Amino acid sequence: MSTSTDATASTAERYRAFADVEARGLSACYEDWAHGVAGDPATIALIDELPSPKRQPNLVFTAARFQGVPIGPYHLFRDWLHQHWVEVRATAMSHATQTNEAGRCALHVPALAGIEGPIALLEVGAAAGLCLYPDRYGYRYTGHPRLDPADGPSQVVLDCAVDGPVPVPERLPEVVWRGGIDLNPLDVRRPDDVTWLEALIWPEHEDRRARLRAAAAIAAVDPPHIVAGDLNARLHDVAAEAPDDATLLVFHTAVLMYLDEPGRARFAEQVRQLPGHWLSVEARAVTPGIALRDDVPNDSSDLVLALDGVQFAWAQPHGRAIRWVPNP
Ligand SMILES: C[S@@+](CC[C@H](N)C(=O)[O-])C[C@H]1O[C@@H](n2cnc3c(N)ncnc32)[C@H](O)[C@@H]1O
């Protein structure tokens, strides 16, 4: 059995691996659909009409849900997909997987605690920019008093389990500028973009979908400035737009996996040349120049949270838990 989800594996192998490695335990629906596709040559023939990078299960399933496929057993999904393939194919061609998870702000807030404000936030790989509003959400960190925005409770409240002496602040940071860079910025004011972001959240995760809608409504009131382009090409000029009298924080979560090794190294080199600070929250395989702290217990899916190139926490990928790493 293959465990490969990469674009060089056959479509059957990719869907089987997705079912067994990625969906199991997180989405019974996607596990069922992916297993179904893997054993269904006629459906594979449809999916193989797409270029290889577009055959990824998460993109095809999201495109089908965007077009209205009902959640149900594989045979219903299959019948629907064959009837609506033209629309699903067009959606997969015109869209990309860009899950935007506001919950990750619960990982960023303790890292921001030690940075002198006011802060100018620049997120690379921002998608719709929902992680640019750490000061507009509320937080319930286990063992700490609830944190609310300066002007009162938010419609978005993030729960995060804390392990160790995480420096949870007593008040949220003062953010005076929010900028972003993305290959394909999404706009929370466009209903189709919000529908796409909702479809990217796996079927069973209704709590995350509700949070997404609430976070999108908050962002729509004061939309972020997100520039279209490659993060390596645009980093310096967008950073130069940040106000001089604020501390610049460049950050990224779940982005560097989209870059090749030289691209990641180039980014790390560029970000180190900028004034201010660098916050990286990425999978362990894509942490340029950051020494991993496997001496501290962690899950294989945990993200590495590092400030200025030094790891200080292991983090649950959607921001549900943070485990501190002691540093000398
Ligand atoms: C998985 S999403 C993460 C979004 C957001 N950081 C979050 O944590 O919710 C990754 C984003 O990175 C963007 N991206 C990938 N490669 C990029 C590049 N070379 N330059 C700019 N953005 C890129 C994608 O378009 C996508 O919106």
Side-chain angles (χ1 to χ4, degrees), residues 107-139:
L107 307 173
H108 304 155
V109 162
L112 297 179
I115 295 178
E116 197 176 332
I119 294 178
L121 287 178
L122 169 50
E123 182 178 16
V124 299
L130 299 181
C131 293
L132 283 164
Y133 297 84
D135 53 329
R136 303 277 170 85
Y137 307 145
Y139 301 85

Side-chain angles (χ1 to χ4, degrees), residues 234-259:
R234 302 304 307 270
L235 181 64
H236 276 281
D237 46 296
V238 181
E241 292 179 35
D244 288 338
D245 54 357
T247 306
L248 177 67
L249 178 88
V250 177
F251 75 102
H252 47 94
T253 47
V255 173
L256 296 190
M257 64 204 178
Y258 292 86
L259 273 60

Side-chain angles (χ1 to χ4, degrees), residues 98-101 104 123 125-127 131 181-184 229-231 253-255 257-259:
Q98 298 186 261
T99 308
N100 200 184
E101 180 52 72
R104 292 180 179 134
E123 182 178 16
C131 293
I181 304 171
D182 201 285
L183 285 178
N184 179 42
D230 176 75
L231 56 86
T253 47
V255 173
M257 64 204 178
Y258 292 86
L259 273 60

Side-chain angles (χ1 to χ4, degrees), residues 75-208:
H75 70 93
L76 292 181
F77 168 79
R78 178 196 196 276
D79 291 349
W80 185 97
L81 189 71
H82 282 253
Q83 280 167 26
H84 298 86
W85 177 245
V86 172
E87 301 95 283
V88 173
R89 183 177 55 199
T91 301
M93 290 303 294
S94 59
H95 289 67
T97 51
Q98 298 186 261
T99 308
N100 200 184
E101 180 52 72
R104 292 180 179 134
C105 285
L107 307 173
H108 304 155
V109 162
L112 297 179
I115 295 178
E116 197 176 332
I119 294 178
L121 287 178
L122 169 50
E123 182 178 16
V124 299
L130 299 181
C131 293
L132 283 164
Y133 297 84
D135 53 329
R136 303 277 170 85
Y137 307 145
Y139 301 85
R140 283 184 294 240
Y141 292 98
T142 53
H144 293 263
R146 177 177 158 143
L147 262 175
D148 287 315
D151 58 356
S154 171
Q155 290 297 313
V156 174
V157 181
L158 306 174
D159 287 297
C160 181
V162 169
D163 187 343
V166 174
V168 174
E170 287 176 3
R171 67 178 67 88
L172 292 173
E174 183 190 359
V175 178
V176 291
W177 184 84
R178 306 164 210 273
I181 304 171
D182 201 285
L183 285 178
N184 179 42
L186 297 174
D187 187 335
V188 287
R189 293 164 297 181
R190 285 208 305 256
D192 263 10
D193 282 4
V194 177
T195 306
W196 179 248
L197 287 167
E198 286 180 19
L200 277 164
I201 295 175
W202 291 8
E204 294 85 350
H205 301 194
E206 191 46 56
D207 58 330
R208 290 179 57 212

Side-chain angles (χ1 to χ4, degrees), residues 10-20 31-44 47 61 74:
S10 76
T11 302
E13 285 172 326
R14 287 169 77 178
Y15 278 71
R16 197 170 299 115
F18 177 83
D20 293 340
E31 187 181 350
D32 175 44
W33 288 2
H35 267 307
V37 170
D40 180 349
T43 301
I44 287 175
I47 293 170
F61 293 164
Y74 178 67

